[in-house]
Amino acid sequence: MNAAPPTVYLVDDDVSFLTATSRLLRASGFTVQTFLSASEFLAHSVADAPGCVVADLQMPGLNGLDLQTALARTSNPLPLLFLSGHGDIASTVRAMRGGAEDFLEKRAPLEQLLNAVRRALVRNAQEREAQARRRSLRERFDALSAREVEVLSHLLRGRLNKQMAGDLGISERTVKLHRRAIMTKLGVRSVATLSRLTQEAGVIPADAPAFP
């Protein structure tokens, strides 16, 4: 099954600008959905949809910065770029600190907008790929038994087999079997690789040493 194409979600209360911009984006090959308010967009489910948001800064009700804050709290915080007819330095700084992809004037050249949208979509694709890898890694860690998790925790702290055996009340041979099972299930061959994998998956113990 082919993945759904990324969508540019265009949010602006100016109907004529919304219509004109959506036509230009579609003519440039983008899939576009339009919304007349931030509230209307937030009510639309984009729970796992790829894409980006292009929003006006000044809108009745929730403005663009409010939308940025609300979007960041969702399960799918899509990259957002702002278009504004009258932006100010404070708003620009706040938007960029909030992770906005770009902040453009509505009169900006079309190519500038298209480049910003392309960057936002590339960023979203990279973020989704990283999220998918983390989910896959966590599934592999979830396959470890409770005892293997204990051995893993000790292993990442640099404990020797003899020390782990004493701490856990098991034989060194059993420790070695658990170590082998951990390495096999996680698909690694060294403790250094194992450490990096646990960091990437976000499951490394806080007091475990970092390997180069």
Side-chain angles (χ1 to χ4, degrees):
M1 181 183 296
N2 293 329
T7 299
V8 179
Y9 298 97
L10 189 58
V11 186
D12 199 305
D13 64 303
D14 184 332
V15 177
S16 60
F17 181 82
L18 192 70
T19 302
T21 305
S22 63
R23 284 175 178 168
L24 289 172
L25 289 171
R26 289 189 179 105
S28 299
F30 297 105
T31 299
V32 181
Q33 289 189 34
T34 60
F35 302 87
L36 285 168
S37 70
S39 298
E40 182 185 353
F41 168 72
L42 291 171
H44 178 78
S45 176
V46 293
D48 193 40
C52 70
V53 179
V54 179
D56 187 14
L57 178 65
Q58 299 295 338
M59 294 182 287
L62 296 177
N63 63 29
L65 294 173
D66 295 331
L67 172 59
Q68 183 181 37
T69 299
L71 189 61
R73 294 171 179 163
T74 68
S75 61
N76 187 23
L78 296 170
L80 186 149
L81 63 96
F82 287 105
L83 295 177
S84 179
H86 38 76
D88 58 77
I89 294 176
S91 296
T92 303
V93 170
R94 181 178 164 189
M96 300 309 287
R97 283 180 175 172
E101 181 63 38
D102 212 332
F103 196 111
L104 303 175
E105 292 186 3
K106 287 188 173 181
R107 295 170 295 179
L110 174 61
E111 196 57 35
Q112 215 174 330
L113 170 60
L114 297 180
N115 285 337
V117 169
R118 292 184 189 108
R119 287 198 308 273
L121 294 179
V122 168
R123 171 180 162 186
N124 181 243
Q126 292 171 339
E127 289 172 348
R128 289 173 65 83
E129 184 178 344
Q131 290 167 359
R133 175 166 170 76
R134 282 194 295 273
R135 283 196 298 270
S136 175
L137 287 177
R138 288 185 179 181
E139 287 174 0
R140 285 152 68 181
F141 279 96
D142 288 344
L144 299 179
S145 69
R147 178 62 85 185
E148 287 165 355
V149 171
E150 286 183 313
V151 172
L152 171 63
S153 179
H154 284 70
L155 185 59
L156 292 172
R157 293 185 178 93
R159 305 287 284 172
L160 301 175
N161 289 347
K162 184 176 181 180
Q163 293 172 316
M164 284 189 276
D167 291 341
L168 298 173
I170 57 180
S171 68
E172 283 189 59
R173 181 176 180 278
T174 301
V175 169
K176 291 177 182 178
L177 290 174
H178 285 313
R179 286 186 62 152
R180 189 177 303 121
I182 291 167
M183 297 294 191
T184 299
K185 288 181 179 180
L186 298 180
V188 297
R189 295 184 178 181
S190 71
V191 176
T193 303
L194 177 61
S195 177
R196 285 193 291 270
L197 205 66
T198 54
Q199 290 180 53
E200 186 177 349
V203 297
I204 190 168
D207 57 348
F211 287 81

